[in-house]
Amino acid sequence: MPELPEVEVVRRGLAEHVAGRVVESVTVKHPRSVRRHVMGGDDLAARLAGLRVEAAQRRGKFLWLTFDEPDTSLVVHLGMSGQMLVQPADAPLEKHAHIIATLDSGNELRFIDQRTFGGWQLSGLVEVDGTLLPDPVAHIGRDPLDPLFDPDAVVKALRAKHSEIKRVLLDQTVVSGIGNIYADEALWRAGIHGERIAAKLSKSALHGLLAEAQAVMGEALLAGGTSFDALYVNVNGQSGYFERALNAYGREGEPCARCGAPMVREKFMNRSSFSCPRCQVRPRR
């Protein structure tokens, strides 16, 4: 599933190619792609037609477009395989293109989703801490790349959690944007095992962990995100290259880049965690 850097790459592409354009028409080709819009595909298409896109915005892993109509946003759920591609209208239609928005530029904004876990949803906006957010995003915490991110407040919230630090990092209401890949990378950089209890970590250790999360996601953003297959691409269909720089995730059996010990994989929340048994000492059970 795309995490903050991958979603930000898509957001920047939409800001460049879609912001300022008028949506002339929308065609919904698969009902699952609009299942979160309770009024259905016809309603979504009718309400989007004629609107001008003002901006592409993001908080954590959540992405949305705003329009020249007040209190209206289009929340884009990328799910496991969702893509937002900007294509010429005469380009061959992708097999899994489930929503097509025709723009006044002559291009089309296409939502492609092979696994159909994602979709589009129109939503109103609410103010949270001085920021307008779509209703489905209102509960999401700020992410480490947000200019208004408050590390002190997040560290305080982390120290109140009596559960594994990796589990808390994945809680999008505490700090958003961090998923399984970048949690493992930040924990490796900070030398902390993901099963350490958040409340038992020092303030300085938690501040260092958040700083590492911010750094690794910033580096991934510069590389265009992390692509393990053809399902994650930017709006031009290009893959990211940060996979080549990963130090923890997916490196089971390979030498730790810091100490040389073989990296290990452990089960965690129906996923996999990767860590160094020497640099990241596992807590006693």
Side-chain angles (χ1 to χ4, degrees):
M1 183 174 291
E3 302 180 26
L4 185 158
E6 292 78 47
V7 177
E8 175 62 12
V9 168
V10 175
R11 187 205 67 78
R12 291 181 180 186
L14 293 174
E16 180 179 354
H17 297 285
V18 177
R21 310 284 14 145
V22 173
V23 179
E24 293 186 338
S25 64
V26 175
T27 301
V28 177
K29 300 176 70 66
H30 199 304
R32 274 188 58 80
S33 294
V34 291
R35 66 189 180 280
R36 294 178 180 87
H37 186 74
V38 294
M39 299 300 292
D42 290 343
D43 178 80
L44 181 140
R47 289 172 59 185
L48 282 177
L51 297 185
R52 183 182 299 276
V53 180
E54 286 195 336
Q57 300 186 27
R58 177 195 59 76
R59 172 168 285 197
K61 297 183 280 187
F62 288 78
L63 174 70
W64 67 94
L65 299 176
T66 56
F67 302 90
D68 55 354
E69 180 173 306
D71 196 34
T72 301
S73 68
L74 176 67
V75 181
V76 178
H77 302 269
L78 294 175
M80 293 291 291
S81 60
Q83 301 172 359
M84 295 280 279
L85 297 186
V86 178
Q87 298 278 47
D90 58 358
L93 195 63
E94 295 79 6
K95 179 180 180 181
H96 300 287
H98 298 321
I99 307 176
I100 300 97
T102 301
L103 308 176
D104 65 348
S105 62
N107 290 328
E108 292 178 345
L109 175 60
R110 300 176 180 177
F111 180 69
I112 294 95
D113 190 10
Q114 178 178 329
R115 299 173 182 169
T116 65
F117 291 145
W120 287 10
Q121 173 187 12
L122 281 172
S123 170
L125 296 164
V126 295
E127 185 174 329
V128 180
D129 294 333
T131 302
L132 286 176
L133 301 172
D135 288 323
V137 187
H139 66 291
I140 299 299
R142 295 189 185 274
D143 61 71
L145 299 188
D146 189 319
L148 298 180
F149 181 73
D150 185 350
D152 291 333
V154 175
V155 165
K156 183 178 180 181
L158 292 173
R159 298 200 79 208
K161 301 290 185 178
H162 294 273
S163 58
E164 300 98 327
I165 183 59
K166 182 173 179 179
R167 187 183 297 270
V168 182
L169 284 180
L170 299 179
D171 183 347
Q172 302 299 297
T173 65
V174 177
V175 54
S176 65
I178 304 174
N180 202 39
I181 295 174
Y182 298 113
D184 278 358
E185 292 300 304
L187 288 164
W188 179 85
R189 290 183 176 212
I192 299 172
H193 194 281
E195 292 184 7
R196 295 280 301 276
I197 301 302
K200 295 183 178 180
L201 292 168
S202 67
K203 290 182 180 180
S204 61
L206 291 172
H207 273 288
L209 177 58
L210 291 176
E212 296 294 1
Q214 182 181 54
V216 72
M217 290 194 293
E219 292 166 21
L221 180 57
L222 292 176
T226 300
S227 297
F228 288 103
D229 55 33
L231 295 183
Y232 163 66
V233 293
N234 65 17
V235 298
N236 294 319
Q238 298 171 327
S239 298
Y241 297 101
F242 194 68
E243 179 192 1
R244 303 171 184 176
L246 293 175
N247 287 301
Y249 189 85
R251 298 191 66 243
E252 180 185 12
E254 297 180 29
C256 171
R258 188 163 44 216
C259 75
M263 300 291 289
V264 299
R265 177 174 66 87
E266 299 168 296
K267 292 183 178 179
F268 182 80
M269 295 174 60
N270 297 319
R271 314 179 200 188
S272 292
S273 286
F274 298 87
S275 62
C276 172
R278 185 180 299 162
C279 295
Q280 299 166 265
V281 178
R282 186 175 184 172
R284 293 182 180 180
R285 294 187 180 278

CSV table of all heavy atoms in Angstrom, one decimal, residues 22-26 44-51:
chain,number,residue,atom,x,y,z
A,22,VAL,N,-10.8,22.3,-15.6
A,22,VAL,CA,-12.3,22.1,-15.4
A,22,VAL,C,-12.6,20.6,-15.8
A,22,VAL,O,-12.2,20.1,-16.8
A,22,VAL,CB,-13.1,23.0,-16.3
A,22,VAL,CG1,-14.6,22.7,-16.2
A,22,VAL,CG2,-12.9,24.5,-15.8
A,23,VAL,N,-13.4,20.0,-14.9
A,23,VAL,CA,-13.9,18.6,-15.2
A,23,VAL,C,-15.1,18.8,-16.1
A,23,VAL,O,-16.1,19.3,-15.7
A,23,VAL,CB,-14.2,17.9,-13.9
A,23,VAL,CG1,-14.8,16.5,-14.2
A,23,VAL,CG2,-13.1,17.8,-12.9
A,24,GLU,N,-14.9,18.3,-17.3
A,24,GLU,CA,-16.0,18.4,-18.3
A,24,GLU,C,-17.1,17.3,-18.1
A,24,GLU,O,-18.3,17.5,-18.3
A,24,GLU,CB,-15.5,18.4,-19.7
A,24,GLU,CG,-14.7,19.7,-20.0
A,24,GLU,CD,-14.3,19.7,-21.5
A,24,GLU,OE1,-14.2,18.7,-22.2
A,24,GLU,OE2,-14.0,20.9,-21.9
A,25,SER,N,-16.6,16.1,-17.8
A,25,SER,CA,-17.5,14.9,-17.6
A,25,SER,C,-16.7,13.8,-16.9
A,25,SER,O,-15.5,13.8,-16.9
A,25,SER,CB,-18.0,14.4,-19.0
A,25,SER,OG,-16.9,13.9,-19.8
A,26,VAL,N,-17.5,12.9,-16.3
A,26,VAL,CA,-17.0,11.8,-15.6
A,26,VAL,C,-17.7,10.5,-16.0
A,26,VAL,O,-18.9,10.5,-16.0
A,26,VAL,CB,-17.0,12.0,-14.0
A,26,VAL,CG1,-16.6,10.8,-13.3
A,26,VAL,CG2,-16.2,13.2,-13.6
A,44,LEU,N,-22.0,11.1,-8.3
A,44,LEU,CA,-20.6,11.6,-8.2
A,44,LEU,C,-20.3,12.3,-9.6
A,44,LEU,O,-19.7,13.4,-9.6
A,44,LEU,CB,-19.7,10.5,-7.9
A,44,LEU,CG,-18.2,10.9,-7.8
A,44,LEU,CD1,-17.5,10.1,-6.7
A,44,LEU,CD2,-17.5,10.5,-9.2
A,45,ALA,N,-20.6,11.6,-10.7
A,45,ALA,CA,-20.3,12.2,-12.0
A,45,ALA,C,-21.0,13.5,-12.2
A,45,ALA,O,-20.4,14.5,-12.8
A,45,ALA,CB,-20.7,11.2,-13.1
A,46,ALA,N,-22.3,13.6,-11.9
A,46,ALA,CA,-23.1,14.8,-12.1
A,46,ALA,C,-22.6,16.0,-11.3
A,46,ALA,O,-22.5,17.1,-11.8
A,46,ALA,CB,-24.6,14.6,-11.8
A,47,ARG,N,-22.1,15.7,-10.0
A,47,ARG,CA,-21.7,16.8,-9.2
A,47,ARG,C,-20.3,17.3,-9.5
A,47,ARG,O,-19.9,18.4,-9.3
A,47,ARG,CB,-21.7,16.3,-7.7
A,47,ARG,CG,-23.1,16.2,-7.2
A,47,ARG,CD,-23.2,15.5,-5.8
A,47,ARG,NE,-22.4,16.3,-4.8
A,47,ARG,CZ,-22.2,15.9,-3.6
A,47,ARG,NH1,-22.7,14.7,-3.2
A,47,ARG,NH2,-21.5,16.6,-2.8
A,48,LEU,N,-19.5,16.4,-10.1
A,48,LEU,CA,-18.1,16.8,-10.5
A,48,LEU,C,-18.1,17.6,-11.8
A,48,LEU,O,-17.2,18.4,-12.1
A,48,LEU,CB,-17.2,15.6,-10.7
A,48,LEU,CG,-16.7,15.0,-9.4
A,48,LEU,CD1,-15.8,13.7,-9.7
A,48,LEU,CD2,-15.8,16.0,-8.6
A,49,ALA,N,-19.1,17.3,-12.7
A,49,ALA,CA,-19.1,17.9,-14.0
A,49,ALA,C,-19.2,19.5,-13.9
A,49,ALA,O,-20.1,20.0,-13.2
A,49,ALA,CB,-20.2,17.4,-14.9
A,50,GLY,N,-18.3,20.2,-14.5
A,50,GLY,CA,-18.3,21.6,-14.5
A,50,GLY,C,-17.5,22.3,-13.4
A,50,GLY,O,-17.3,23.5,-13.4
A,51,LEU,N,-17.0,21.5,-12.5
A,51,LEU,CA,-16.2,22.1,-11.4
A,51,LEU,C,-14.7,22.3,-11.9
A,51,LEU,O,-14.2,21.5,-12.6
A,51,LEU,CB,-16.2,21.1,-10.2
A,51,LEU,CG,-17.5,20.9,-9.5
A,51,LEU,CD1,-17.3,20.1,-8.2
A,51,LEU,CD2,-18.2,22.2,-9.2
